[in-house]
Amino acid sequence: MLKNWAVVPTCLPIVHRRCHACPSQHVRASGKFRVNANHKLLDVWLLALCTGCGETVKLTVLERMTVRSIPPELLDRLHDNDPGLTADLLQDPNVQRRNRFVLDWTDAWRLDTGGSEHLDLDVIDVAVRNAARIPVRPARLIAEGCGLSRAEVDRLITEGKVVSAVRLGSRLSGDFTFTLKR
């Protein structure tokens, strides 16, 4: 029987980017947008606060865009400070590249296994769905979800008792499946 696990975000991740006012390397998205009109052109920033000094940092979302080129639904979401839009934009590779930041997902996600009734089975087939492209180590998820130590999971992988089409020792940010044989 196939079990479904999910890696779900619990809060917005920390943005790993240098603050311009202090030596801190971390800012936290405030969830607010600033939309600035200059005649018929719009600039949009996602506002973030430095975790060290509290200074506001602007992350560029749109730059010098004509009002007509922005979908009305997107403009409404920007004006409403939509938290879902904040999460989507933080994970957008173009926004990350433009603003030169990476996300730190430490303590910002949890594993939902749907209960512990599977722990006593001899063979477990699991499909792991990653809800927000969170980079996680599959071996860590297996250890957490099955109540095993990381060393035990590594031993099971080496013995061929944990089988998957993906490399279980590296970080993944997508969905994957695995089979655990005890």
Side-chain angles (χ1 to χ4, degrees):
M1 183 168 140
L2 183 67
K3 299 290 179 185
N4 291 308
W5 291 0
V7 177
V8 293
T10 56
C11 62
L12 290 174
I14 296 286
V15 176
H16 190 76
R17 179 183 174 197
R18 190 176 144 328
C19 174
H20 60 83
C22 76
S24 176
Q25 295 288 324
H26 298 95
V27 299
R28 181 173 293 283
S30 68
K32 296 184 180 181
F33 295 94
R34 176 159 181 222
V35 180
N36 187 35
N38 186 2
H39 299 286
K40 294 180 182 179
L41 301 177
L42 289 181
D43 292 318
V44 178
W45 299 281
L46 172 60
L47 302 179
L49 301 173
C50 174
T51 58
C53 67
E55 187 71 23
T56 301
V57 176
K58 296 189 298 188
L59 303 174
T60 302
V61 175
L62 299 174
E63 208 168 26
R64 300 287 179 207
M65 299 285 293
T66 60
V67 177
R68 291 180 188 256
S69 67
I70 302 173
E73 306 84 38
L74 176 60
L75 206 50
D76 289 341
R77 291 178 74 190
L78 290 167
H79 285 298
D80 293 340
N81 293 318
D82 184 351
L85 182 60
T86 301
D88 291 344
L89 289 173
L90 282 176
Q91 294 180 57
D92 184 339
N94 294 325
V95 174
Q96 290 180 5
R97 190 172 27 259
R98 176 184 291 152
N99 292 285
R100 296 187 202 112
F101 71 82
V102 294
L103 297 177
D104 181 2
W105 284 97
T106 306
D107 299 327
W109 61 273
R110 67 179 172 76
L111 178 64
D112 182 12
T113 60
S116 61
E117 71 277 354
H118 63 278
L119 295 179
D120 57 346
L121 299 174
D122 289 335
V123 177
I124 305 170
D125 291 319
V126 179
V128 180
R129 186 180 62 81
N130 199 330
R133 294 192 317 258
I134 301 168
V136 292
R137 293 192 185 279
R140 176 181 174 198
L141 292 181
I142 295 167
E144 187 177 323
C146 295
L148 302 170
S149 70
R150 292 277 302 275
E152 179 72 11
V153 171
D154 289 340
R155 185 181 63 74
L156 290 171
I157 291 170
T158 306
E159 292 175 358
K161 293 184 177 182
V162 177
V163 182
S164 179
V166 298
R167 282 190 51 209
L168 298 173
S170 61
R171 287 186 183 266
L172 292 175
S173 57
D175 301 344
F176 68 96
T177 59
F178 70 90
T179 301
L180 170 65
K181 304 169 192 168
R182 295 188 191 227

